[in-house]
Amino acid sequence: MPKPVRNIVFYRCSMILIVSLLSLRFVRAQKNASARYQIDNERNKTDISGDDALSAGKAFERMDSTYYVGYLYEGYFKYNHSADFQGYKNAIPALNKAKLLFEKEHNSMLKNLFSSLEYLTENYNRFQDYFRICNALKECYDNIEMPDSLIAL
């Protein structure tokens, strides 16, 4: 095959690959959007401090493992039901995962949260989630005496 023809074939194949990858990402984003909408609707019916919060959190994680809400419910349930070192230690991984996913998704919102009262009011529910995650992590680190992690938080 002559070199110009080979370059054209390579160019076409790479363009097809790029377009297909972009379309797959778009389809995945649509799937996640519908799952997140369903999670947010179910979340309004479930109390985060209730006895069914752990099972709800696990169900949310199965629906969309890239959304922080499932890990928030799981970690907060474990934190609320902790009474000793092991209980608080078990709550930390889920709360950390929730914090990382939240920061990854809502980084720009956190940076601009206190820029105006209107912006804070619009995003108050998300801010409450982030505050709840960080407060529970703080309490867990404090109860298992991990001051270095507490300071890093």
Side-chain angles (χ1 to χ4, degrees):
M1 198 180 302
K3 192 169 185 171
V5 173
R6 214 174 336 151
N7 287 344
I8 292 172
V9 170
F10 176 74
Y11 176 75
R12 284 184 182 166
C13 289
S14 12
M15 290 307 292
I16 290 171
L17 179 66
I18 290 170
V19 169
S20 62
L21 288 175
L22 289 175
S23 65
L24 285 175
R25 183 176 174 171
F26 179 71
V27 169
R28 182 171 176 236
Q30 285 179 332
K31 179 186 172 222
N32 285 350
S34 66
R36 289 177 181 198
Y37 180 77
Q38 186 178 1
I39 289 170
D40 288 337
N41 280 340
E42 289 292 321
R43 182 180 179 188
N44 292 332
K45 302 172 190 170
T46 309
D47 181 26
I48 194 168
S49 301
D51 291 334
D52 60 340
L54 182 62
S55 60
K58 293 289 187 180
F60 296 159
E61 289 173 25
R62 281 190 299 273
M63 282 187 230
D64 185 1
S65 63
T66 63
Y67 197 36
Y68 74 94
V69 175
Y71 299 102
L72 167 64
Y73 269 67
E74 177 187 351
Y76 204 76
F77 176 85
K78 289 177 179 179
Y79 158 72
N80 273 341
H81 291 80
S82 297
D84 60 352
F85 178 87
Q86 194 63 36
Y88 288 110
K89 193 172 182 179
N90 286 339
I92 289 174
L95 290 168
N96 264 333
K97 178 87 173 186
K99 182 177 175 282
L100 290 174
L101 290 172
F102 188 94
E103 288 173 347
K104 182 179 177 183
E105 185 174 340
H106 299 291
N107 191 24
S108 62
M109 185 269 301
L110 289 172
K111 287 181 180 179
N112 299 322
L113 190 61
F114 297 107
S115 61
S116 72
L117 185 60
E118 295 164 8
Y119 193 76
L120 176 63
T121 308
E122 286 174 19
N123 297 296
Y124 188 70
N125 290 336
R126 299 287 182 218
F127 172 70
Q128 271 188 320
D129 288 345
Y130 190 68
F131 182 76
R132 186 174 280 147
I133 292 167
C134 291
N135 189 45
L137 269 173
K138 178 192 84 70
E139 292 296 323
C140 288
Y141 287 139
D142 202 23
N143 281 309
I144 65 172
E145 298 176 2
M146 290 180 65
D148 54 337
S149 298
L150 182 61
I151 291 171
L153 179 64

